[in-house]
Amino acid sequence: MPDLNDATRGRILYGGDYNPEQWPEETWTEDVRLMRQAGVTSVTVGVFSWARLEPAPGAYDFGWLDRLLDLLHGAGIGVVLATPTASPPPWLGHRHPETLPQAENGTTVWYGSRNQFCASSPTYRRHAAAITEQLAARYGAHPALTMWHVNNEYGTHCWCDETAAHFRRWLQDRHGTLEELNSAWGTAFWSQHYAEWDEILPPRQAQYIRNPAQLLDFARFTSDALLECYTAEHAILARHSPAVPVTTNHMPFWRGQDGWAWAQQQDVVALDIYPDPDNALGAQHGALVQDLARSLAGGPWMLMEQATGAVNWRPVNRPKPAGLNRLWSLQAVARGADAICFFQWRQSRQGAEKFHSAMLPHSGTGNRVYREAAALGADLDRLGPHVSGTPVTAETALLHDWDAWWASEQPGRPSELLDYQENVTAWHRALWEANHTTDLAHPAADLTRYRLVVIPSLYLLTDTALDNLAHYVRTGGTLVTGYFTGVADHQDRIRPGGVDARLREVLGLAAVHQWWPLNEGETLRCTGTEDFHGTLWAEELETAGAETLARYADGELAGLPAVTRHGYGRGTAWYLSTRPEPDALRALLTRAAREAGLHPAAEQLPAGVEAVRRGELLFLLNHGPQQASCELPGHWEDLLTGTPGTGSITLERHGAAVLRPATP
Ligand code: GLA
Ligand code: GLA
């Protein structure tokens, strides 16, 4: 199978989405000249071009795209060519209203924006396949083509009748018989027993709390239905050009798609990343989703979209201050990206995104944003040969699973304040601040190469995952487990004892007798070998062999264990029954990491300086508010400046260094 290396060929790809259909052809010549000046090597074309390519059903117009691809190729710019199937033209919805999605309450989601398709609609799929076939046949051998890009940010949901029929077929595959389905969904509850398959619907708007197992299966189904759309287009493209890698771009940490399942079907994992430049923890969000992208890819990945400055979809949209775009782009390279691209090349003057930043802003090349984009192109050109294709070193894994996410965020739970993504972010932040580079991993994945594995919270764990965790600890691993983990099985049936019995044995716990969620802003003092305040959640916990490292000091749970540690086989398993405040969580995870024999990517750095090792290189990234001076052992050369040095290096605000070990 082709992969990202087939497109990068030892470089870091640099560029962005290019939407030339919004401009007269005279502008294209200027675009290409400025792209070259800015070091652009790759543009993504055609993402939203369906109405232009097929103005009427079966009537195609490829002339403009022929000219564009030839122009780009003549300038040495590679093309990531998209299938335009994320935004069907009005004629499709007008002639075939059944291709339009329906919301939970049965209302139609109309055209006039984008993404108005039902993934289960055979008519939509037929038209999507036809335009894909045309593109693949025409451009599969075009010399400008480096990669295929399918659709865009798959993320639609639909509850229509066609979806209902598709959902039933999917359920028949998964559960076999109606009896099995009734058992898996626990339909004895509230008289929900199904006597015929035709009675089953997607979970539409209802009077009160809907069946949680049905909601869980619907989340799984929706991810699979969209994936079928992806793989159908992928197969057409691969048939015409088997050597050209195929990708689709995901929204970062997106709830709607099981990233682990999707990544297996993609030649290249590509992510769109938009941290808020106005958020002090924007860089941490970047690091988290970059770690996720690398882990999904199992190696280098593509940053398909980011913004040079402001986006247009937050309530308040701030631009990036000088240097931040470069810093966050280099952060992505440090964490495994071999392609750094933007939405978009030239800022639109019309349409919903005319206030969204671009590489070439409305005010043109005199704009700082353009100058910085051009300088970044030069930086990446220098780094490419040293970086492209090399691995990132991570000895810690954070376990993440969409099934657990879906099952844990349904109504009718002990606390609505439990937010899966917020919790993952908090745990990842603790490791990030301590410069422990972290992979994300599926709970059933092979974990043996990690010294430390952490579970912020996985409400749902399958039998396979539980056996895997036990094996990991027994054979010498260190596992730190957060609260509300191992509570339910694969169909959201409660496992008795508060935590599954196998996991309790690993953790040295007798039972979790009560969940004791805390109110917003409420904290519980905990004392022991660590003193801290717990937030969000607490538990009435009984140990069976585990040592208690901290106890609840006040309130109803006073005296009961809060944090425990247990030797199991050759390994160690910790349990945190509350969420320590950020500094304390960092201290606890740092301690567990130290006891597991783990070292951060670099020691003794000033706060705010991120360190990541990729191949033989050390990336230093200054996210702090001012200049930072870092003490380093030995001799090095900064590949960004070509400067050699010994000992300390000073990073400006938003400054970065990419250091290669050197001899004096
Ligand atoms: C109501 C209903 C019960 C049950 C309880 C739960 O009283 O009648 O069926 O749902 O709420 O509190
Ligand atoms: C997403 C989409 C792009 C564009 C950007 C704006 O990433 O894929 O088409 O809408 O958001 O931030």
Side-chain angles (χ1 to χ4, degrees), residues 257-460:
Q257 288 149 284
D258 179 347
W260 299 119
W262 279 68
Q264 283 176 21
Q265 306 294 330
Q266 296 172 232
D267 299 330
V268 172
V269 168
L271 212 69
D272 301 342
I273 305 185
Y274 293 96
D276 186 352
D278 202 30
N279 180 338
L281 283 172
Q284 190 241 320
H285 173 75
L288 168 62
V289 298
Q290 291 156 17
D291 287 346
L292 176 60
R294 180 186 67 253
S295 306
L296 291 172
W301 55 280
M302 175 170 195
L303 202 183
M304 182 70 84
E305 293 180 25
Q306 57 174 340
T308 56
V311 298
N312 68 317
W313 39 261
R314 293 195 169 95
V316 174
N317 298 292
R318 290 265 267 234
K320 289 178 173 167
L324 190 61
N325 189 31
R326 174 177 185 263
L327 178 66
W328 285 0
S329 298
L330 291 172
Q331 182 193 37
V333 175
R335 292 182 180 271
D338 275 358
I340 298 295
C341 300
F342 293 90
F343 178 84
Q344 57 178 331
W345 161 252
R346 185 186 276 273
Q347 188 170 22
S348 301
R349 287 186 56 201
Q350 290 182 291
E353 294 180 327
K354 56 187 180 294
F355 293 115
H356 194 291
S357 62
M359 298 172 84
L360 184 60
H362 292 148
S363 68
T365 53
N367 194 308
R368 162 175 73 78
V369 168
Y370 174 79
R371 289 198 305 274
E372 285 190 31
L376 177 60
D379 281 334
L380 297 177
D381 184 49
R382 269 194 300 279
L383 286 184
H386 303 280
V387 169
S388 186
T390 61
V392 174
T393 316
E395 293 182 300
T396 303
L398 182 156
L399 302 191
H400 162 56
D401 181 19
W402 272 268
D403 259 11
W405 186 357
W406 293 326
S408 69
E409 283 190 356
Q410 296 185 2
R413 302 277 153 186
S415 170
E416 285 182 8
L417 298 183
L418 292 195
D419 174 331
Y420 181 93
Q421 190 173 7
E422 187 275 337
N423 195 42
V424 165
T425 301
W427 281 59
H428 182 273
R429 174 184 169 187
L431 294 161
W432 176 74
E433 286 175 346
N435 279 316
H436 287 300
T437 310
T438 301
D439 282 346
L440 282 88
H442 187 276
D446 179 6
L447 302 172
T448 47
R449 71 192 140 116
Y450 298 110
R451 282 175 187 266
L452 176 69
V453 169
V454 306
I455 305 180
S457 179
L458 286 175
Y459 161 80
L460 179 158

